[in-house]
Structure formats: structure tokens, C-alpha cells
Amino acid sequence: MSNTDFVLAVEDLTVSFDGFKAIDKLTLYLEKGELRVIIGPNGAGKTTLLDLICGKTRASAGSIKFKNQEMSRLAEHQIVRAGIGRKFQTPSIYENLTVFKNLEVSFPRGRGVFGALGFKCDQEVQARIEAVSEEIGLADQLEVEAGLLSHGQKQWLEIGMLLMQEPELLMLDEPIAGMSVRERELTAELLDRICRNRSMIVIEHDMDFVKKIAHKVTVMHQGRILAEGPMESVQNDPRVIDVYLGH
Ligand code: ADP
Ligand code: MG
């Protein structure tokens, strides 16, 4: 496979914080339509890797190519515009707005030809809200104030807010933390649905959940990749058991 076939190509990526390498010459390729799960002990650098890809943190060295375009020197908003969406661990929805409004304000403005064509724009927004709310299982809750949703529903709404931007790569940091068993099941189905037409990177600790959703698993340790492959092989890798799964 040539590099151009990957939606994301991270090569020799390094970031130092006061001499400490939180990410150390890390190389990772993601295929189009792939759902990759990243696991590893606390402090392995998982969140930092997402921070680098979305432009929140600047790399010290190495490259991050998204659809063959270099991202590592772009500003965060340019990276979003290029098609990378990222959900942080804590939800950032507007609690006192309805589900509908939360989705509406997340529609990307000011980059289209709409300007004067307000009506057409409204129709497009409306259609996108309907499609997204269906996808995240909140189509019946559009008029509900977001603050009244369950913890799980709030997480799905935030994923929906990202989907309003139609990202080609979606990155989620511990999306099921604090969810009930049922909400976890529904989230697995949701992720399965939404990665049909995009690529995803998910950081997660819950191994049952990882097994359910992962196409491939990357195990990080001390800013590097310790192992990578299908869940079954990673799970039985003695090094992985030693630094992570054994605890
Ligand atoms: P993980 O998400 O795998 O638990 P992190 O990416 O949050 O790990 O952290 C990796 C390491 O980098 C940790 O030792 C953390 O303390 C350090 N680190 C992360 N961000 C910063 C920062 N902005 N400044 C200094 N150190 C940081
Ligand atoms: Mg983290």
C-alpha cells in the first residue's frame, strides 16, 4: 500500500515537554473507513497523540498527513475544516439549549456559497439535523433541553455536534466513561454506524467494548507503539499483558 491510500499517516511524530518525550517517534497509519482503538496505561501519551493530530499541541518533530496533506503546521480551525473532528473527555454541550439548537449551532457556517441564500441554507441545516439526530438516536428528543438528557445521551449529542461538520476522521477520547451497560451497548452500535462512511480513532479502557468496536488495536506505552494488530493478537502479546492488560 502506498502512503496515499491512508486517510491518516503519522510518521516519526515526537513531542517533548521540557525534555520529556510524551510522544516519541510514533508512526501510525489509518485506512479509510477504519475504526482504530488506542489502548495503553495512563500516561502512555494517548490523549497527547489526539492533541497533536487536532492541532491543540504542536509537534516537536515528525509529520501528520491527512488525505496526503500536512496538518502539523495548521491551526486548529483549519484542521477541523480539513475534516478532522475531535471529542474531548468532558462533554461540552450547551445544557440550556435544546438538542435541536445544539446541533444547529454546530453546523459549519461561513465557508459555503450560502451567504445570501438563507432559505436554502436553512433547508440544508434542517436536513442535516434530522439525519444526525437519527444517527445518534436522539431524533425523538430534538425539543428536549440538553441538560435534561442522561449522561449517555449527552455524550451522543456531542458526537452529533461533531457529525454536523461531516468529518472524515472522527477522534473520541474515552467515549463510554460513566455510561450504563445499556448505554455502552448503544454506543458500540452508534460507532459501528458512523464509521461506515468515515474513519475513527477511539481511545478506550473497557476491553469488552474495545473487542466489540475495534477493527485494529494500537497499544501505546511511554509515547511509543508497543503492539498493533487485531484484538486477539494484541490481547495475547506478552508485552501488552505485562505493561497493561495484566493489571
Ligand atoms: P494518556 O492519555 O495515555 O493517559 P497523556 O497523553 O495524557 O496520557 O499524557 C502523556 C504524558 O505526557 C504524561 O506523562 C503527561 O503528564 C504528559 N503531558 C501531557 N500533556 C502535557 C503538557 N501539556 N505539558 C507537560 N506534560 C504533559
Ligand atoms: Mg488520556
Side-chain angles (χ1 to χ4, degrees), residues 46-47 89 173-174 203:
K46 305 181 296 295
T47 298
Q89 275 168 279
D173 200 346
E174 304 193 16
I203 295 175

Side-chain angles (χ1 to χ4, degrees), residues 16-18 20-23 39-51 57 89 173-174 203 205 220 223:
S16 317
F17 298 120
D18 299 322
F20 166 73
K21 286 182 179 166
I23 297 290
I39 63 173
N42 283 331
K46 305 181 296 295
T47 298
T48 303
L49 175 61
L50 298 200
D51 288 345
T57 300
Q89 275 168 279
D173 200 346
E174 304 193 16
I203 295 175
H205 286 291
M220 282 183 65

Side-chain angles (χ1 to χ4, degrees), residues 88-101:
F88 291 87
Q89 275 168 279
T90 44
S92 56
I93 56 170
Y94 302 99
E95 299 253 338
N96 48 12
L97 296 183
T98 61
V99 169
F100 183 95
K101 278 282 171 197

Side-chain angles (χ1 to χ4, degrees), residues 53-208:
I53 296 170
C54 78
K56 185 170 177 256
T57 300
R58 292 277 137 205
S60 314
S63 104
I64 302 168
K65 290 204 182 71
F66 175 64
K67 298 195 297 179
N68 243 10
Q69 192 197 341
E70 185 58 49
M71 296 284 118
S72 63
R73 280 172 293 279
L74 298 185
E76 272 183 273
H77 72 273
Q78 293 174 308
I79 294 173
V80 168
R81 218 170 266 196
I84 299 180
R86 190 260 177 98
K87 183 188 175 310
F88 291 87
Q89 275 168 279
T90 44
S92 56
I93 56 170
Y94 302 99
E95 299 253 338
N96 48 12
L97 296 183
T98 61
V99 169
F100 183 95
K101 278 282 171 197
N102 268 279
L103 293 174
E104 188 181 38
V105 299
S106 306
F107 185 84
R109 303 274 174 183
R111 67 164 146 171
V113 289
F114 293 117
L117 305 169
F119 178 66
K120 192 177 172 199
C121 184
D122 287 347
Q123 278 187 329
E124 193 192 351
V125 177
Q126 182 78 33
R128 181 96 50 96
I129 291 171
E130 279 168 25
V132 166
S133 63
E134 201 71 54
E135 205 161 27
I136 58 174
L138 294 179
D140 296 338
Q141 321 276 324
L142 283 174
E143 294 314 316
V144 174
E145 233 177 74
L148 300 175
L149 297 174
S150 74
H151 172 74
Q153 289 173 323
K154 285 180 186 173
Q155 303 286 324
W156 301 333
L157 175 56
E158 201 183 359
I159 292 173
M161 291 165 76
L162 291 167
L163 293 177
M164 288 298 289
Q165 321 235 3
E166 302 195 303
E168 285 177 61
L169 171 61
L170 189 59
M171 305 192 293
L172 309 176
D173 200 346
E174 304 193 16
I176 62 165
M179 281 191 185
S180 69
V181 173
R182 181 67 188 138
E183 285 173 339
R184 284 165 191 239
E185 283 169 11
L186 290 170
T187 304
E189 289 168 21
L190 165 63
L191 298 192
D192 189 52
R193 265 198 310 278
I194 63 183
C195 82
R196 276 178 211 158
N197 41 16
R198 59 179 62 76
S199 313
M200 293 182 74
I201 298 177
V202 180
I203 295 175
E204 197 40 74
H205 286 291
D206 182 312
M207 284 305 128
D208 291 329

